[in-house]
Amino acid sequence: MNRRDFSKQLSLAGMTGLLGTSIVFSKNMPKGYWPIALQDPDPFSLFDKDKEMTVLNDRPWNIEAKAHLLNDKVTPNKYMFVRNNGRIPDTIDVNSWTLTIDGEAIRKSKTYSLQELKTKFKPYTYQLTLECGGNGRSEFDPPAKGNQWTVGAISCAQWTGVRLRDVLEDVGITDGAVYIGYHAADTHLSGDPTKEPISRGVPIKKALLDETLLAYKMNGQAIPLAHGFPLRLVCGGWPASASGKWINGISVRNRVHDGAKMGGSSYRVPCETVAPGSQIKETAMCIIESMPVKSLITYPRSGALIKEGQSLSINGHAWAGELEVTKMEYSIDFGSTWKDCTLEKPVNRLAWQHFMANVQFPKKGYYEVWARATDKEGKSQPMVLPGWNPKGYLNNACHRIAVKVV
Amino acid sequence: MKENFEGQIKSLGRLLVTFAFLLILFIGGMLYIKNNPSILIPSEEYEVLPANETTLVELDEATIAQSGFVNAQGVSQVIQNCTQCHSAKLVTQNRMSKEGWESTITWMQETQNLWDLGDKEEMIVAYLAKNYGPVSKGRRENLTNVEWYELE
């Protein structure tokens, strides 16, 4: 790249105006690559998202919901967060799309077309909770690196697909199987065709659970492009990065999968708790598995003004990774006293549960309604930030909304 | 009969010349592809910016404003090195100390194909640490920016 080329690129100013950001080094973009934002500069119409969603990052796309947008029992696409590590695949041909199962722990690698997957194996539908491991990252102190998710990187849509277990049984896995790792069609931000933006996975035990799906439908429709069309892995209750999108390969490994973003501080936390801001050796970091107990008040939106004597109906969802939530409470006095909410059972394992309560306020004033879920093993959400970790994962501190009685 | 024979010889000759021409074209084409294999993968060409060419170009105010970065010393270098692969938003939403930004740069160099920033690294890190340094939040912040509305 020389400077003359560089000044030439500056004349792209008109085009970059559309983007709201500068493509200064557009010469260095791979030839033939046209930023998706320029094809349609509006991510809301591009991905069919509600205008109230928050765009944290536009290259790669990272978009989150707000608490009050997540009130639906089954999350519709328009309110579903987007977390991408690389570029969305440019071209997807459903007719030639294949899934190849390989790795050290299978007898013989096998490739399936989408049609074969859909016809050869029995389909199952589950509502599955997918939460970004970094949901709530923005609250950590010292600040943690990455997209600064607040509360909205959580969804619970209905996924339809075939069981990964059925496919692995058809291929034939050996006793040496330890982990599965996915491979996908998204491309690296640097444009390097030899690099995978992300290639994570789960231990074989999780891979073989009933609810671990190779999904081709979301909420009864083809999966939207941003969420992994035409095929994705769904490992409910685990960091959503384990649920690879646009997948075209699964490797059955005889060791812990070592793909992109499996190592270092990615989706890993200190094995032993550390003081905030500590430096931690890579060997002292452990992979996140099941997500912790958490809940969200999705109605009303924070900031409600109500009249004295008026009661307030609140509702929301609670989830606990692999576990069920067994108790849901709220407090209007910063945790001095807690009252029970009505809590529904999940529609299936790994689906979030709905809660509701009717809240009375004793007199006029400023209040915060705090919500606290407790899982089957007796673990509750903390009111303050939980254990600090370098990448700011697993913030399951209680959610709260502001209310004024006037 | 004789004329017809000569005619056939001529057309056979023409056929042979055409064939030889096509053969030369084919061999030439194969040799070209052998030496330039990249022409077979036109849409995925990939290049890394060489470190010695990351010469400072001062950007104009409009470009800086468009970038979303704070306009301060070093901003031109930051824009030119930090927004080629990812959006400016990935930088500006983060808050890190000097050491934090340094280790992030190292991580990108080791795993994400970021090039050697050479003698510009110091200026880039200083800009980031000054303009996007950590803000203390304590163990839990107050609820801020509450938009009050009447709930019926």
Side-chain angles (χ1 to χ4, degrees):
Chain A
M1 162 125 203
N2 60 42
R3 253 158 298 167
R4 199 186 52 197
D5 281 344
F6 180 74
S7 359
K8 197 168 70 191
Q9 299 312 327
L10 287 183
S11 68
L12 288 166
M15 178 170 87
T16 58
L18 282 170
L19 253 180
T21 175
S22 190
I23 325 173
V24 180
F25 277 75
S26 51
K27 181 189 171 288
N28 278 49
M29 290 190 298
K31 294 198 175 111
Y33 174 70
W34 193 241
I36 200 159
L38 288 178
Q39 297 163 20
D40 187 337
D42 177 7
F44 306 104
S45 58
L46 187 63
F47 301 125
D48 201 12
K49 296 293 170 190
D50 189 88
K51 294 268 187 209
E52 276 197 81
M53 298 285 281
T54 309
V55 177
L56 297 179
N57 198 345
D58 47 24
R59 190 163 38 109
W61 286 109
N62 283 278
I63 301 171
E64 76 167 329
K66 295 182 173 78
H68 70 275
L69 300 178
L70 291 166
N71 199 39
D72 296 274
K73 290 193 168 185
V74 178
T75 312
N77 173 59
K78 64 178 176 173
Y79 298 136
M80 181 180 271
F81 76 99
V82 177
R83 196 283 182 259
N84 288 342
N85 287 261
R87 295 182 193 151
I88 293 176
D90 285 334
T91 48
I92 292 169
D93 180 5
V94 184
N95 296 320
S96 63
W97 192 275
T98 57
L99 177 77
T100 300
I101 314 286
D102 63 8
E104 302 97 349
I106 56 146
R107 294 188 221 291
K108 190 167 180 287
S109 87
K110 199 164 175 179
T111 299
Y112 299 91
S113 68
L114 268 184
Q115 198 52 31
E116 278 175 300
L117 284 175
K118 289 180 189 175
T119 50
K120 193 167 178 177
F121 303 99
K122 191 178 171 214
Y124 293 88
T125 298
Y126 299 107
Q127 208 187 319
L128 298 167
T129 308
L130 287 182
E131 181 178 20
C132 175
N135 196 21
R137 173 177 294 139
S138 63
E139 287 195 285
F140 279 96
D141 181 25
K145 194 180 90 172
N147 286 296
Q148 298 297 304
W149 304 102
T150 63
V151 297
I154 168 80
S155 68
C156 194
Q158 200 183 57
W159 297 94
T160 302
V162 299
R163 284 180 175 155
L164 178 59
R165 185 180 67 217
D166 292 347
V167 178
L168 295 184
E169 276 172 5
D170 185 61
V171 177
I173 60 172
T174 69
D175 291 343
V178 170
Y179 227 88
I180 62 111
Y182 62 76
H183 304 285
D186 49 347
T187 56
H188 198 264
L189 290 177
S190 68
D192 186 343
T194 65
K195 280 185 105 72
E196 293 184 286
I198 186 163
S199 168
R200 301 195 70 250
V202 291
I204 195 73
K205 194 178 164 203
K206 172 69 174 169
L208 298 180
L209 290 178
D210 284 357
E211 301 85 1
T212 301
L213 297 180
L214 287 165
Y216 46 81
K217 276 187 182 176
M218 184 183 107
N219 296 339
Q221 309 279 323
I223 300 173
L225 176 65
H227 299 295
F229 178 80
L231 189 68
R232 79 171 294 175
L233 192 59
V234 186
C235 303
W238 285 45
S241 57
S243 299
K245 304 193 277 190
W246 313 289
I247 66 162
N248 51 26
I250 299 272
S251 297
V252 185
R253 309 294 310 267
N254 62 1
R255 68 197 79 164
V256 174
H257 182 54
D258 52 3
K261 306 228 169 158
M262 283 300 293
S265 56
S266 296
Y267 305 101
R268 303 207 298 174
V269 292
C271 304
E272 290 170 15
T273 50
V274 299
S278 300
Q279 292 287 329
I280 301 118
K281 283 202 206 97
E282 199 174 306
T283 50
M285 299 283 281
C286 287
I287 300 171
I288 300 167
E289 299 198 332
S290 173
M291 293 292 285
V293 62
K294 199 165 171 178
S295 61
L296 202 56
I297 303 168
T298 55
Y299 181 86
R301 176 162 62 84
S302 187
L305 296 168
I306 61 167
K307 293 192 177 68
E308 193 177 9
Q310 191 184 339
S311 67
L312 178 71
S313 288
I314 62 163
N315 59 261
H317 318 288
W319 60 97
E322 285 286 324
L323 302 175
E324 199 175 309
V325 176
T326 49
K327 190 157 91 168
M328 190 68 217
E329 300 157 290
Y330 72 88
S331 175
I332 56 165
D333 52 16
F334 304 94
S336 289
T337 59
W338 292 90
K339 287 197 169 71
D340 282 343
C341 300
T342 307
L343 177 67
E344 288 179 20
K345 286 285 206 185
V347 291
N348 53 254
R349 222 176 70 76
L350 312 181
W352 65 14
Q353 296 164 245
H354 316 297
F355 67 83
M356 53 172 300
N358 207 0
V359 185
Q360 314 287 335
F361 298 91
K363 56 181 183 179
K364 286 182 182 176
Y366 170 85
Y367 293 88
E368 288 178 13
V369 181
W370 290 58
R372 181 173 76 173
T374 304
D375 72 23
K376 205 179 152 183
E377 292 179 353
K379 283 190 180 159
S380 298
Q381 292 180 258
M383 290 183 73
V384 295
L385 270 277
W388 184 90
N389 60 89
K391 288 295 297 286
Y393 295 119
L394 309 181
N395 175 7
N396 67 335
C398 291
H399 180 236
R400 63 233 153 103
I401 57 168
V403 176
K404 253 188 220 174
V405 180
V406 291
Chain B
M1 187 69 188
K2 195 183 169 193
E3 269 177 26
N4 190 19
F5 180 68
E6 272 176 7
Q8 279 179 334
I9 290 287
K10 272 185 187 167
S11 64
L12 186 66
R14 275 198 297 272
L15 205 67
L16 280 172
V17 168
T18 314
F19 183 72
F21 177 71
L22 285 174
L23 192 70
I24 289 164
L25 206 68
F26 177 71
I27 292 171
M30 291 304 277
L31 281 172
Y32 181 75
I33 289 169
K34 183 174 175 282
N35 293 326
N36 303 278
S38 62
I39 64 159
L40 291 178
I41 32 168
S43 64
E44 281 299 333
E45 192 174 317
Y46 162 73
E47 54 187 312
V48 171
L49 188 74
N52 58 1
E53 290 188 21
T54 57
T55 323
L56 179 69
V57 176
E58 288 300 338
L59 301 177
D60 58 76
E61 296 225 341
T63 308
I64 293 168
Q66 235 173 33
S67 76
F69 278 105
V70 173
N71 190 350
Q73 182 168 11
V75 68
S76 291
Q77 257 326 312
V78 169
I79 293 172
Q80 288 163 63
N81 284 287
C82 307
T83 62
Q84 288 200 53
C85 296
H86 57 70
S87 154
K89 287 189 166 79
L90 190 56
V91 183
T92 59
Q93 62 175 314
N94 275 284
R95 296 290 179 273
M96 281 180 247
S97 63
K98 182 172 175 283
E99 294 71 29
W101 286 112
E102 278 167 353
S103 77
T104 303
I105 288 171
T106 306
W107 173 77
M108 285 190 285
Q109 286 168 335
E110 286 171 356
T111 68
Q112 305 296 309
N113 287 356
L114 173 63
W115 42 89
D116 179 5
L117 298 171
D119 58 359
K120 303 296 181 299
E121 178 161 336
E122 204 180 316
M123 184 196 276
I124 290 170
V125 169
Y127 168 90
L128 293 170
K130 181 166 181 272
N131 298 291
Y132 299 95
V135 183
S136 184
K137 294 177 212 157
R139 204 83 207 188
R140 204 79 208 259
E141 284 185 296
N142 281 341
L143 291 176
T144 51
N145 303 321
V146 178
E147 288 170 38
W148 297 102
Y149 64 98
E150 277 183 38
L151 183 71
E152 292 306 318

